Amino acid sequence: MIETTLVLLKPDCLADRHCGNVINRFEAAGLEIVGCKMMLLADDELAEHYAHVLDRPFYPDLKAFMQSSPVIALALSGKNAVALVRELMGPTDSRKAAKGTIRGDFGRDVMFNVVHGSDSPENAIVELKRFFADSELFEVSLKR
Ligand code: IDP
Ligand code: MG
């Protein structure tokens, strides 16, 4: 099933210069970039994106982290893209993530964990709409 999912390269990914490596993991797994933009997350965008953790004690720290620099938003397309991206990322806590996963290799802890990936096909649709206008998503194909 061909899906498109939303990935955010978080500020630690940019600061530690892991963007190339992380994107390479996704491309090597067969995923294709169909949308890409660098953006500073506004308060309301972030609150909406992280609505499920808004009332957690760590939210102020998470907010400061996520707004400490721009993020890179990617729309990635491919077979079972949502689950594939989550598998490549590893679990939320980088310290518990296996080596060979993005968080296991590049993350520091549960907050500084390099990437966001949509956690279900339903959320992927909502999150893609949150970060990309229709005109910013492309069908990528090249005849050669
Ligand atoms: P996910 O990114 O693996 O889907 P969520 O539970 O959706 O994890 O949490 C969203 C983000 O909030 C995480 O990626 C992480 O950056 C941050 N976070 C989650 N739990 C904690 C925590 O216990 N302390 C600090 N930050 C957390
Ligand atoms: Mg999540």
Side-chain angles (χ1 to χ4, degrees):
M1 170 81 160
I2 300 298
E3 297 168 341
T4 304
T5 190
L6 186 273
V7 165
L8 299 178
L9 304 184
K10 297 186 180 185
D12 56 337
C13 186
L14 279 76
D16 295 336
R17 302 179 193 174
H18 290 314
C19 297
N21 283 324
V22 170
I23 290 172
N24 188 49
R25 300 272 173 111
F26 294 133
E27 290 191 326
L31 294 161
E32 185 170 74
I33 299 172
V34 297
C36 180
K37 68 203 282 195
M38 192 163 184
M39 59 202 293
L40 270 171
L41 299 178
D43 290 359
D44 57 340
E45 270 172 331
L46 194 64
E48 214 181 272
H49 181 66
Y50 280 145
H52 60 297
V53 294
L54 205 50
D55 58 359
R56 299 288 297 275
F58 61 81
Y59 186 75
D61 290 340
L62 178 62
K63 179 174 187 291
F65 163 52
M66 290 299 293
Q67 294 182 326
S68 62
S69 83
V71 300
I72 293 176
L74 298 171
L76 297 180
S77 199
K79 205 167 150 218
N80 297 321
V82 174
L84 177 56
V85 162
R86 294 289 295 194
E87 194 182 308
L88 294 167
M89 284 164 52
T92 309
D93 189 343
S94 305
R95 295 165 300 201
K96 295 182 183 148
K99 288 292 161 201
T101 65
I102 292 167
R103 285 167 165 172
D105 290 345
F106 305 126
R108 192 178 85 181
D109 55 26
V110 68
M111 189 169 78
F112 295 98
N113 61 5
V114 193
V115 281
H116 165 82
S118 306
D119 63 7
S120 69
E122 297 71 31
N123 281 339
I125 290 166
V126 173
E127 292 182 350
L128 285 164
K129 269 211 182 321
R130 180 172 302 132
F131 292 101
F132 289 96
D134 286 346
S135 61
E136 294 171 328
L137 294 173
F138 299 89
E139 259 194 44
V140 178
S141 70
L142 175 64
K143 291 218 162 48
R144 51 180 143 202

